[in-house]
């Protein structure tokens, strides 16, 4: 049974940083495309970033480019989202997702992912 567990969320002030981690178990981690999405109250789930060893893809959404980076540690079956210069509009629940066969053109779509974590809350407020 595949399981994704996020950690690292919290309450920070604008301009501060957070690092989110997603620990994966029960799946062949290196074969999976791993992504982060976020969802704010009353809004749709939004793509944040993706990393895929299979396709060599590693990119983040334009809305966070230059502030967020995504990486993976295959030895620890973990995907990491480093978030710098956080803004109030980054406030959301951040979810980790995994897919075994998503193609590059679909990586930004939440419907392409078949495993999801419960999410971790990130709140940016002064």
């Amino acid at each position: 049974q595949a399981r994704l567990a996020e950690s690292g969320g919290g309450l920070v002030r604008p301009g501060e940083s957070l690092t989110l981690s997603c620990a994966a178990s029960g799946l062949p981690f290196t074969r999976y495309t791993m992504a982060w999405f976020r969802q704010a109250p009353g809004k749709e789930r939004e793509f944040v970033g993706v990393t895929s060893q299979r396709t060599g893809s590693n990119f983040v959404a334009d809305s966070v480019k230059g502030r967020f980076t995504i990486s993976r540690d295959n030895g620890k079956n973990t995907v990491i989202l480093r978030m710098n210069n956080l803004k109030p509009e980054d406030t959301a629940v951040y979810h980790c997702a995994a897919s075994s066969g998503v193609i590059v053109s679909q990586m930004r779509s939440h419907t392409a992912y078949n495993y999801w974590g419960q999410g971790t809350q990130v709140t940016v407020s002064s």
Side-chain angles (χ1 to χ4, degrees), residues 67-86:
R67 300 188 297 120
F68 291 14
T69 59
I70 185 171
S71 61
R72 63 194 298 157
D73 183 338
N74 290 332
K76 296 182 179 179
N77 285 6
T78 299
V79 60
I80 297 164
L81 183 68
R82 290 186 173 85
M83 307 185 295
N84 297 321
N85 189 23
L86 282 159

Side-chain angles (χ1 to χ4, degrees), residues 69-113:
T69 59
I70 185 171
S71 61
R72 63 194 298 157
D73 183 338
N74 290 332
K76 296 182 179 179
N77 285 6
T78 299
V79 60
I80 297 164
L81 183 68
R82 290 186 173 85
M83 307 185 295
N84 297 321
N85 189 23
L86 282 159
K87 303 176 180 180
E89 52 263 42
D90 295 318
T91 295
V93 176
Y94 283 70
H95 295 271
C96 179
S99 174
S100 61
V102 59
I103 59 176
V104 176
S105 62
Q106 296 176 344
M107 286 181 176
R108 290 178 172 84
S109 173
H110 66 89
T111 60
Y113 296 84

Side-chain angles (χ1 to χ4, degrees), residues 49-71:
V50 64
T51 176
S52 173
Q53 188 160 318
R54 181 176 58 85
T55 65
S57 302
N58 186 304
F59 56 88
V60 297
D62 288 344
S63 58
V64 303
K65 194 170 294 183
R67 300 188 297 120
F68 291 14
T69 59
I70 185 171
S71 61

Side-chain angles (χ1 to χ4, degrees), residues 9-23:
L11 171 63
V12 296
R13 295 181 177 179
E16 294 185 340
S17 300
L18 274 177
T19 297
L20 305 183
S21 296
C22 171

